[in-house]
Amino acid sequence: MADTTGGVATNQPRKSSWKYIGPGIVVAATGVGAGDLVATLIAGSNFGYTLLWAAVIGCVVKISLAEAAGRWHLSTGRTLFDGWASLGRWTTWFFVVYVVIWGYVYGAAAMSSSGLPLQALFPDVMDLKWWAILTGLVGLVFVWFNKYAVFEKVMTVLVGVMFLVTVYLAVRVTPHLGDAFAGLLPVLPDEKDSVLNTLGLIGGVGGTITLAAYGYWVNAKGWTDSGWMKVMRLDNRVAYITTGIFVVAMLFVGAEILHSANVAIASGDQGLVQLSDILEKEYGDATAKLFLIGFFATSFTSLIGVWHGVSLMFADFVERYRKQRAGADDKALTGEEVASGAREKSVPFRAYLLWLTFPPMILLFQGQPFRLIIIYGVLGAAFMPFLALTLVWLLNSSRTPREWRNGWLSNGMLAIAGLLFLVLCIKQITDQDWGSFF
């Protein structure tokens, strides 16, 4: 029998169980893209194991953010966008500008990243841009015709591939465990910009709009009330422990193969192709091909994860706008609506899917416009402090039932996350070539 807490219907608490795990795997797979793996590899190649502690802290920060997003959805029965809208119209404007510009540029980047390993595996078949277009179309068709349950199963299989490949590589390079354990001590490298490099590693791995999408995947799983809170928290911890294993494994590879040999790789996704060449020379063709398969799984999970999760968020935004225009008395957007699966078949969901897929193909042929890339970089840097600080606002207010408001630990972690991402946002803005922009 259901009771009520703060006016929101809740069921009896479910016992946390491994059989429920799902949304966490999805958010972990989506959040860790090829660019994150390259950043970790470069950290390993530049500093060895020195920044291992920073990678671990980064995962803890993401646990706090995703837990807060999931807690909002389950404790209030409302979606995160509905919470943002209650803070003022400025949040809506920020979200709209963000998803339009970010989605346009990200679509091209995700398709290119997914196409790169396929081109490396099958070099004589077709050019990179055609591989990129193919992956985008496959992602579109897959998300268009499948609901969350199938999406989660496919993501879980691809995460399994990522996990096996990264752990195999970490073992294959024979890490120096003594040095690795020493890397858990919080020490900064004695180099220029070491603080910002360290903050970048903490903030960069697995941290995107997909952290905000976590609550939507929680609802899509069928978890819609506070009775699922323990389950969600277990699910979330599993997600970022998995992320931590990915990150540590790639840092091991960077420290052992690149740092010890003083080898540099490119900062973009092309760096992973370079790594496959190095692996082929060191460990043979089979290891190199296995790595490229893991590279594809990493990139493609990010692609279909964004195609699904951000499209759900966009559909939520459009639904609230529609209710507002219709003068509806109750404009609240609920988790029950997401759980029904109707949003995944809605026109706004599919319209954003098309936006992520087809307009970005222009960038694959023409290159990425300079001014657009600058705006994209600034918006991307601004989203994480926006997410952290709005969650602090929402989860300390009367919008959240008292039982589920932030405690001192949650407030501390979210405040640290907000400040961290704010520093990185300012750094990103100041690093842009604004002189050329104007």
Side-chain angles (χ1 to χ4, degrees), residues 60 64 67 71 237 406-416:
V60 174
S64 66
E67 188 275 340
R71 178 154 45 93
R237 291 183 191 116
N406 278 356
W408 66 268
L409 181 60
S410 295
N411 276 327
M413 291 303 298
L414 289 176
I416 290 169

Side-chain angles (χ1 to χ4, degrees), residues 45-389:
S45 68
N46 289 340
F47 309 117
Y49 294 106
T50 306
L51 292 181
L52 180 59
W53 64 272
V56 173
I57 288 178
C59 293
V60 174
V61 168
K62 306 309 186 311
I63 287 174
S64 66
L65 281 165
E67 188 275 340
R71 178 154 45 93
W72 167 264
H73 277 250
L74 295 182
S75 66
T76 66
R78 298 161 62 192
T79 67
L80 185 55
F81 184 81
D82 196 55
W84 285 339
S86 72
L87 300 178
R89 192 169 292 179
W90 66 275
T91 59
T92 300
W93 282 108
F94 176 82
F95 177 78
V96 171
V97 173
Y98 178 85
V99 295
V100 170
I101 296 176
W102 179 88
Y104 180 57
V105 181
Y106 180 83
M111 288 187 277
S112 293
S113 181
S114 298
L116 263 176
L118 294 176
Q119 186 194 35
L121 283 165
F122 309 103
D124 300 322
V125 176
M126 54 185 170
D127 291 340
L128 172 59
K129 60 179 173 291
W130 297 113
W131 280 117
I133 288 170
L134 178 62
T135 60
L137 292 175
V138 170
L140 170 70
V141 171
F142 171 72
V143 175
W144 188 288
F145 289 105
N146 290 294
K147 285 195 175 183
Y148 175 79
V150 176
F151 166 72
E152 182 190 284
K153 286 182 174 63
V154 171
M155 291 287 275
T156 302
V157 170
L158 291 173
V159 168
V161 173
M162 291 167 59
F163 187 88
L164 290 174
V165 169
T166 53
V167 171
Y168 167 77
L169 285 176
V171 173
R172 191 81 168 82
V173 301
T174 319
H176 292 78
L177 295 181
D179 293 341
F181 282 119
L184 293 173
L185 295 174
V187 176
L188 290 174
D190 187 20
E191 295 187 23
K192 183 182 178 182
D193 291 335
S194 62
V195 173
L196 286 171
N197 287 331
T198 303
L199 291 177
L201 183 62
I202 294 172
V205 179
T208 65
I209 191 175
T210 54
L211 285 168
Y214 177 62
Y216 287 85
W217 285 322
V218 163
N219 288 157
K221 180 77 170 175
W223 308 347
T224 57
D225 58 59
S226 60
W228 291 100
M229 198 70 75
K230 285 186 177 180
V231 177
M232 181 275 292
R233 284 171 167 163
L234 174 65
D235 177 75
N236 179 45
R237 291 183 191 116
V238 169
Y240 283 97
I241 289 172
T242 304
T243 299
I245 292 171
F246 292 152
V247 171
V248 169
M250 293 309 289
L251 194 134
F252 280 10
V253 172
E256 294 297 338
I257 291 184
L258 305 178
H259 183 69
S260 59
N262 198 25
V263 174
I265 61 172
S267 58
D269 295 344
Q270 194 68 40
L272 294 182
V273 177
Q274 289 177 261
L275 180 61
S276 79
D277 294 336
I278 296 169
L279 288 171
E280 184 174 3
K281 291 176 184 176
E282 293 285 335
Y283 302 105
D285 185 60
T287 297
K289 282 185 167 49
L290 183 65
F291 170 72
L292 288 171
I293 291 169
F295 175 8
F296 172 74
T298 301
S299 298
F300 194 64
T301 50
S302 291
L303 186 152
I304 61 175
V306 168
W307 264 229
H308 186 275
V310 184
S311 296
L312 266 182
M313 295 180 71
F314 182 78
D316 206 39
F317 151 71
V318 173
E319 178 62 19
R320 183 178 179 87
Y321 180 76
R322 186 192 64 78
K323 286 183 176 183
Q324 194 170 15
R325 288 292 299 272
D329 293 332
D330 183 11
K331 302 182 184 67
L333 303 167
T334 68
E336 292 283 358
E337 293 173 303
V338 178
S340 71
R343 293 274 167 82
E344 295 168 89
K345 301 299 180 185
S346 68
V347 172
F349 180 92
R350 289 176 166 174
Y352 193 72
L353 264 180
L354 295 173
W355 174 253
L356 282 167
T357 307
F358 289 107
M361 290 179 184
I362 298 170
L363 300 182
L364 297 175
F365 287 91
Q366 296 183 350
Q368 299 181 352
F370 177 71
R371 288 181 175 84
L372 187 61
I373 297 304
I374 288 183
I375 296 172
Y376 165 79
V378 170
L379 284 173
F383 184 82
M384 293 302 287
F386 167 80
L387 174 62
L389 297 174

